[in-house]
């Protein structure tokens, strides 16, 4: 037996992170930046009105009120996007739209609702302080400021910052390509009715969805028969277009032996058992000329999904430029747990917030049958029971490995 930590270390030590690629900012969302972007120009690039109203000198409307409004002539109008320079003289006002450049000498904007809306002469019913309702040049971003940090996940705000900084492309860590294939003579596609002795291929759909949820670009291949030749041909076809390959139904027993034989001359598969429950029967290798990581998992989707969380998701996270392991969460058990001696157990659980105290509770859902797929529908974490522990009682602390996106 190999420990979980030893197996994970072997997998991560052999990982190769895909080289960063430059993509359009519209395609960068959800990826991590592989460069630091420095703003080359200010934002805003000119003094502009923050609201529809009238550009004025603040001193000309100081002290204005409802009973004694300030009255000034309106000498023009500036629309957003205007390129015509306009100079304001003392004691004048110019109608401006939100986003319009301020005329020279204007240092404030009187909101439309604070005025009578005059077109020739304007009454302003409230004084406006200097810089009131004005977006000053560079007040958001100055040249030399960091627009997007190296390693930042690109979201809507980062895309906006890049656009404002004049960047239409960004260097990012690309999504790793994960291919999934199911092995088994008994398998049929889910769109077909299963005859006696046949079962629908659920596992490849589940693992493809899990890989996509983890941030990968995915490819679900057709099902293949369980003999060495078919397994080899299917995996060999997937290697050139994949950073990771996951094979369902090829761990342990006759299927595992066929897979190991078929993949032997592509680089070899290590099928040493791992001291964990469930999923001790699994295999891993780096195959093909590019040494692509290849996982061999059991056919049952609930066990395969647990193995994915423990071993495959960390490899995807590493490829995306993230820390491989998500931070575990400590929680108090709501019911007792038992675990096989010498094995690290991963028990489907629900992570809950305590009503009082602000801590977390762990509600085990799969202790009586970790093979049950229906259990995983209610699960958002895996309770991790160490190898040296065989029993945990209500109220004891347990570590939870969060499941789900990212």
């Amino acid at each position: 037996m190999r420990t979980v930590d030893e197996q994970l270390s072997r997998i991560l030590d052999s990982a190769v992170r895909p080289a960063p690629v430059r993509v359009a900012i519209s395609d960068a969302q959800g990826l991590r930046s592989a460069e630091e972007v420095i703003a080359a120009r200010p934002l805003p690039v000119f003094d502009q009105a923050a609201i529809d109203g009238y550009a004025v000198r603040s001193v000309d409307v100081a002290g204005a009120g409802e009973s004694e409004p300030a009255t000034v002539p309106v000498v023009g109008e500036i629309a957003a996007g205007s390129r015509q320079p306009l100079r304001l003289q003392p004691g004048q006002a110019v109608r401006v739209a939100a986003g319009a450049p301020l005329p020279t000498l204007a240092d404030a904007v009187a909101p439309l609702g604070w005025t009578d809306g005059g077109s020739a002469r304007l009454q302003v019913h409230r004084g406006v302080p200097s810089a009131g309702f004005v977006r000053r040049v560079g007040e958001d971003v100055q040249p030399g400021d960091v627009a997007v940090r190296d390693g930042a996940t690109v979201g809507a705000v980062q895309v906006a910052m890049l656009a404002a900084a004049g960047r239409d492309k960004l260097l990012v860590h690309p999504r790793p390509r994960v291919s999934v294939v199911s092995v088994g003579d008994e398998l049929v596609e889910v769109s077909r009715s299963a005859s006696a002795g046949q079962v629908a291929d659920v596992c490849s759909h589940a693992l493809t969805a899990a890989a996509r949820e983890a941030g990968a670009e995915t490819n679900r291949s057709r099902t293949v028969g369980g003999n060495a030749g078919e397994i080899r041909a299917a995996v060999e076809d997937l290697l050139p277009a994949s950073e990771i390959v996951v094979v369902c139904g090829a761990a342990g027993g006759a299927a595992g032996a066929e897979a190991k034989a078929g993949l032997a001359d592509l680089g070899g598969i290590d099928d040493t058992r791992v001291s964990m429950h469930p999923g001790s029967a699994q295999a891993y290798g780096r195959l093909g000329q590019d040494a692509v990581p290849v996982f061999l998992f059991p056919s049952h989707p609930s066990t395969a999904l647990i193995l994915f969380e423990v071993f495959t998701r960390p490899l995807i996270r590493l490829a995306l430029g993230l820390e491989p392991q998500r931070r575990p969460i400590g929680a108090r058990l709501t019911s007792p747990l038992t675990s096989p001696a010498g094995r690290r157990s991963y028990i489907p659980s629900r992570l809950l917030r305590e009503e009082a105290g602000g801590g977390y509770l762990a509600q085990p859902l799969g202790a009586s049958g970790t093979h049950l797929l229906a259990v995983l529908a209610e699960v958002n974490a895996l309770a991790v029971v160490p190898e040296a522990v065989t029993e945990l009682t209500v109220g004891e602390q347990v570590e939870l490995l969060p499941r789900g996106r990212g």
Side-chain angles (χ1 to χ4, degrees):
M1 285 267 187
R2 181 179 292 141
T3 69
V4 172
D5 292 336
E6 288 170 344
Q7 182 78 339
L8 184 58
S9 178
R10 289 167 64 89
I11 291 168
L12 296 181
D13 285 348
S14 65
V16 177
R17 182 180 296 178
V21 296
R22 196 168 298 280
V23 300
I25 59 174
S26 58
D27 297 326
Q29 190 167 2
L31 300 175
R32 288 175 65 85
S33 174
E35 64 173 325
E36 187 169 79
V37 178
I38 304 299
R41 61 192 187 197
L43 181 67
V45 296
F46 54 84
D47 289 346
Q48 60 183 248
I51 193 172
D52 291 341
Y54 295 85
V56 296
R57 296 196 318 157
S58 57
V59 295
D60 292 333
V61 296
E66 290 292 339
S67 58
E68 295 186 16
T71 302
V72 291
V74 178
V75 296
E77 183 172 353
I78 305 176
S82 172
R83 298 183 181 181
Q84 297 299 322
L86 187 60
R87 182 179 180 86
L88 188 71
Q89 298 298 325
Q92 294 179 341
V94 171
R95 179 76 178 260
V96 289
L102 256 62
T104 305
L105 294 187
D107 67 338
V109 173
L112 195 59
W114 292 10
T115 73
D116 66 351
S119 57
R121 295 193 65 80
L122 176 72
Q123 289 190 341
V124 181
H125 300 288
R126 292 176 62 178
V128 187
S130 181
F133 303 100
V134 173
R135 300 189 189 111
R136 287 294 188 191
V137 59
E139 73 173 27
D140 195 353
V141 177
Q142 290 283 351
D145 286 351
V146 176
V148 174
R149 298 190 181 281
D150 186 4
T153 298
V154 179
V157 173
Q158 285 71 32
V159 170
M161 289 292 291
L162 289 165
R167 290 286 297 270
D168 63 345
K169 288 184 170 58
L170 178 69
L171 196 67
V172 296
H173 296 289
R175 302 184 192 278
R177 298 168 298 174
V178 177
S179 295
V180 182
V181 59
S182 273
V183 168
D185 296 318
E186 78 284 8
L187 297 177
V188 296
E189 292 292 339
V190 295
S191 58
R192 293 176 52 194
S193 297
S195 303
Q198 293 183 319
V199 294
D201 173 23
V202 175
C203 194
S204 68
H205 286 281
L207 289 177
T208 301
R212 189 180 302 114
E213 188 178 64
E217 183 181 312
T218 59
N219 168 40
R220 177 188 166 272
S221 180
R222 62 181 178 83
T223 61
V224 299
N227 66 73
E230 287 187 78
I231 295 171
R232 177 204 162 97
V235 172
E236 193 170 24
D237 284 348
L238 295 174
L239 291 176
S242 307
E243 273 75 54
I244 298 170
V245 174
V246 182
V247 184
C248 315
E258 288 289 326
K260 188 174 182 179
L263 301 175
D265 61 353
L266 292 180
I269 288 290
D270 180 356
D271 61 355
T272 303
R273 282 183 173 263
V274 179
S275 56
M276 65 182 292
H277 176 75
S280 64
Q282 57 178 280
Y284 174 78
R286 300 186 68 200
L287 307 183
Q289 63 179 8
D290 295 323
V292 175
V294 177
F295 294 90
L296 271 58
F297 289 162
S299 60
H300 199 283
S302 64
T303 300
L305 284 169
I306 289 172
L307 289 172
F308 176 91
E309 291 294 331
V310 178
F311 297 114
T312 312
R313 187 186 291 271
L315 199 58
I316 294 173
R317 287 175 59 85
L318 197 63
L320 289 168
L322 299 164
E323 288 296 318
Q325 297 279 38
R326 289 188 290 188
R327 184 175 298 176
I329 298 171
R332 294 190 305 108
L333 281 170
T334 62
S335 58
L337 284 180
T338 59
S339 177
R343 297 198 184 192
R344 185 180 300 180
S345 287
Y346 292 86
I347 299 172
S349 303
R350 183 185 289 122
L351 176 64
L352 304 169
R353 270 282 192 185
E354 285 189 285
E355 291 185 4
Y360 291 97
L361 296 174
Q363 181 183 24
L365 298 177
S368 62
T370 51
H371 64 287
L372 299 176
L373 180 60
V375 165
L376 292 186
E378 304 297 325
V379 163
N380 60 5
L382 297 173
V384 183
V385 183
E387 293 87 341
V389 177
T390 57
E391 292 184 10
L392 289 170
T393 60
V394 174
E396 284 196 82
Q397 284 283 317
V398 67
E399 275 198 350
L400 292 175
L401 180 66
R403 289 187 68 246
R405 186 174 298 277

